[in-house]
């Protein structure tokens, strides 16, 4: 891969220009106002794939946002690596909290990124990480060092649950046939501490509505005599955890694996400073399920969190109102064998049982996803490990990721191959938040590392 590495060093500026151009397109999948931008981003990705030397590049329409495909078949007897990623991004809100505009990529230095980082929505999640693969494959094709076949599938609905991607995969099994799926959409522990994510949590996401009287009421005239849906909702939510912060939904933990002492000890060996963690978040104390460490709470334990709550009067000043309804969005992160459909059903039943007769409760399920655990004794894990070891010159640590990538479990099930989660972001890159950024070090390190994965895996 000597020629490939040389090509990469010579094209660093161009690679960065490509990233900035893609980051200027506000491809927010959740908001229909950005529908055309999402389409434009798909077109831009397709163009980059063509420019990298991929064949059969196609923008596949779906009932939602398009899926971009491209491939380069060197020899059909050689293995095939399928690269998956997403070009859609989270909404930029709250826009006011951004120091520079979210869709005007700006390079700035930070404590964790002394060489500079590009600030923009989608920089780390996932445009920067997708482009690392495009550039790495471009370099291997240009130098005739691509050692096996490669397919790209870059979607536009990851941030909204990958609903149409599942249908696409099932309908195009043959086209997507591969030996491994390689994804960069996760984090490493630090720029001097490389790691590979070996687990992702699943997700069940619901919206709840608690309705009391048929209209908003005067909180003096009726207050005290009619159930206040916000008071009731708050009380219902409070009952979803017990005093040890365990989730109280009956059966919730039935399919959660209890890790053996040795496994937990191994997990907790990963470098982690609680002091730094607290300092970074400006909290005095961490919080969570009793009996578990922070690493365990985000890696191997499920959660239930209110993501948003509203109702009544939230404008300027005071308005004395007893609201007719209250709402909340609730996410549950799932682990081991927890099934999102079952959890949603169990939640709905239990949540409704917590309500007094004075209110009506409605639960609307949103997207979900299965948890996934990837093996570390596989050829593909070892290839990723060796590739990272080569560029970072450090041992690589397996790590459980707290986030979710809903399609991963489906890849394993439908394409019947292992997935490797070789991401290069940092947790401090604040994906989904204002001032998301991606380190230039991480972008280039990813581009340099990916060819070594191919070399290791395909030899
Ligand atoms: N790339 C993230 C997931 C991620 C980030 C995993 C960091 C591990 C470490 C992905 O784009 C994401 O945000 N997924 C969503 C799920 C989706 C259904 C909205 C999530 O985890 O909230
Ligand atoms: Mn992502
Ligand atoms: Mn995301």
């Amino acid at each position: 891969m000597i020629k490939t590495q040389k090509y990469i060093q010579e094209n660093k500026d161009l690679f960065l220009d490509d990233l900035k151009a893609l980051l200027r397109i506000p491809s927010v999948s959740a908001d229909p106002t950005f529908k055309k931008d999402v389409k434009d981003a798909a077109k831009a990705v397709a163009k980059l794939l063509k420019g990298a030397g991929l064949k059969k590049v196609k923008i596949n329409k779906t009932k939602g946002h398009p899926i971009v495909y491209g491939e380069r078949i060197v020899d059909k007897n050689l293995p095939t690596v399928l690269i998956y990623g997403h070009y859609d991004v989270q909404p930029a809100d709250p826009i006011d909290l951004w120091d520079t505009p979210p869709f005007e990529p700006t390079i700035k230095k930070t404590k964790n990124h002394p060489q500079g980082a590009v600030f923009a929505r989608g920089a780390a999640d996932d445009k920067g990480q997708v482009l690392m693969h495009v550039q790495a494959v471009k370099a291997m094709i240009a130098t005739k060092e691509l050692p096996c076949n490669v397919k790209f599938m870059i979607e536009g609905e990851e941030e909204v649950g990958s609903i149409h991607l599942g249908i696409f995969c099932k309908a195009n099994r043959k086209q997507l046939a591969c030996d491994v799926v390689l994804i960069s959409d996760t984090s490493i522990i630090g720029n001097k501490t490389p790691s590979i994510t070996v687990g992702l949590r699943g997700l069940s996401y619901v919206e709840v509505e608690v309705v009391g009287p048929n209209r908003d009421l005067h909180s003096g005239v009726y207050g005290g005599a009619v159930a206040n849906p916000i008071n009731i909702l708050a009380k219902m939510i409070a009952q979803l955890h017990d005093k040890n912060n365990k989730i109280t939904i009956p059966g919730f933990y039935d399919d959660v694996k209890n890790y053996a002492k040795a496994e937990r000890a191994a997990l907790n060996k990963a470098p982690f400073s609680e002091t730094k963690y607290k300092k970074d978040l400006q909290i005095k104390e961490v919080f969570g399920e009793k009996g578990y460490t922070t690493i365990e709470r985000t890696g191997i334990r499920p959660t239930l969190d209110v993501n948003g709550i509203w109702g009544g009067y939230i404008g300027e000043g005071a308005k004395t109102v007893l609201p007719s309804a209250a709402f909340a969005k609730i996410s549950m992160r799932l682990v081991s064998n927890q099934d999102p459909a079952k959890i949603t059903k169990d939640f709905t039943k239990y949540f409704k049982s917590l309500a007094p007769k004075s209110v009506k409760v409605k639960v609307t399920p949103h997207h979900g996803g299965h948890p996934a655990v990837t093996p570390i004794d596989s050829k593909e894990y070892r290839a990723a490990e060796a590739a990272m070891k080569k560029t970072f010159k450090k041992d690589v640590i397996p790590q459980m990721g707290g986030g979710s990538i809903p399609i991963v479990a489906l890849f394993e099930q439908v394409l019947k191959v292992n997935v490797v989660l070789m991401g290069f972001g940092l947790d401090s890159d604040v994906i989904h938040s204002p001032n998301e950024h991606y380190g230039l070090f991480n972008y280039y390190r990813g581009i340099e590392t990916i060819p070594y994965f191919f070399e290791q895996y395909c030899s």
Side-chain angles (χ1 to χ4, degrees), residues 285-424:
E285 213 41 89
V286 294
F287 182 91
E289 187 181 354
K290 194 175 168 187
Y292 293 93
T293 64
T294 300
I295 286 185
E296 291 169 341
R297 284 170 181 167
T298 57
I300 59 168
R301 301 301 296 170
T303 67
L304 185 152
D305 274 300
V306 179
N307 292 233
I309 183 163
W310 69 101
Y313 181 69
I314 51 167
E316 200 71 32
K319 180 188 177 206
T320 49
V321 60
L322 194 163
S324 152
F327 308 83
K329 291 181 194 277
I330 296 173
S331 71
M332 288 162 275
R333 295 280 170 176
L334 312 178
V335 297
S336 335
N337 296 314
Q338 282 182 300
D339 174 36
K342 176 189 179 284
I343 293 293
T344 302
K345 215 172 119 209
D346 291 352
F347 170 89
T348 306
K349 191 172 166 207
Y350 181 59
F351 193 71
K352 285 187 171 168
S353 80
L354 296 175
K357 278 213 185 74
S358 45
V359 296
K360 285 193 277 299
V361 176
K362 198 169 132 195
V363 178
T364 311
H366 281 279
H367 52 249
H370 286 266
V373 173
T374 62
I376 59 166
D377 55 356
S378 65
K379 183 185 165 192
E380 36 276 17
Y381 181 86
R382 282 194 295 272
E385 188 183 30
M388 281 187 134
K389 197 164 175 178
K390 189 151 181 149
T391 52
F392 283 91
K393 300 182 175 60
K394 283 270 179 76
D395 280 339
V396 180
I397 299 163
Q399 179 199 23
M400 299 295 283
S404 311
I405 305 175
I407 205 66
V408 167
L410 193 126
F411 281 152
E412 290 169 342
Q413 188 204 332
V414 174
L415 303 177
K416 309 227 177 325
V417 293
N418 287 329
V419 174
V420 177
L421 298 160
M422 189 173 72
F424 291 86

Side-chain angles (χ1 to χ4, degrees), residues 86 125 158-159 185-186 200 203 333 367 403-404 406 431-432:
H86 62 96
D125 185 13
E158 196 278 339
E159 300 293 7
D185 193 20
T186 49
L200 289 166
L203 184 68
R333 295 280 170 176
H367 52 249
S404 311
I431 61 169
H432 294 204

Side-chain angles (χ1 to χ4, degrees), residues 29 88 155 157-166 203 367-369 406-407:
S29 50
D88 66 320
E155 70 151 321
E157 295 191 319
E158 196 278 339
E159 300 293 7
V160 288
S162 303
I163 324 223
H164 298 101
L165 186 68
L203 184 68
H367 52 249
I407 205 66

Side-chain angles (χ1 to χ4, degrees), residues 1-2 4-5 72-81 83 136-151 179 182 379 383 449-459:
M1 294 281 157
I2 294 172
T4 297
Q5 295 299 337
R72 180 85 180 201
I73 307 299
V74 180
D75 173 346
K76 61 179 189 331
N77 296 312
L78 286 170
T80 301
V81 178
I83 291 161
V137 168
K138 182 181 191 177
M140 287 189 282
I141 292 175
T143 56
K144 301 198 167 51
E145 286 189 329
L146 180 65
C148 61
N149 307 316
V150 61
K151 296 176 175 177
D179 298 281
L182 179 62
K379 183 185 165 192
T449 306
I450 291 160
Y452 291 127
F453 173 86
F454 276 78
E455 186 179 56
Q456 292 288 333
Y457 183 73
C458 303
S459 64

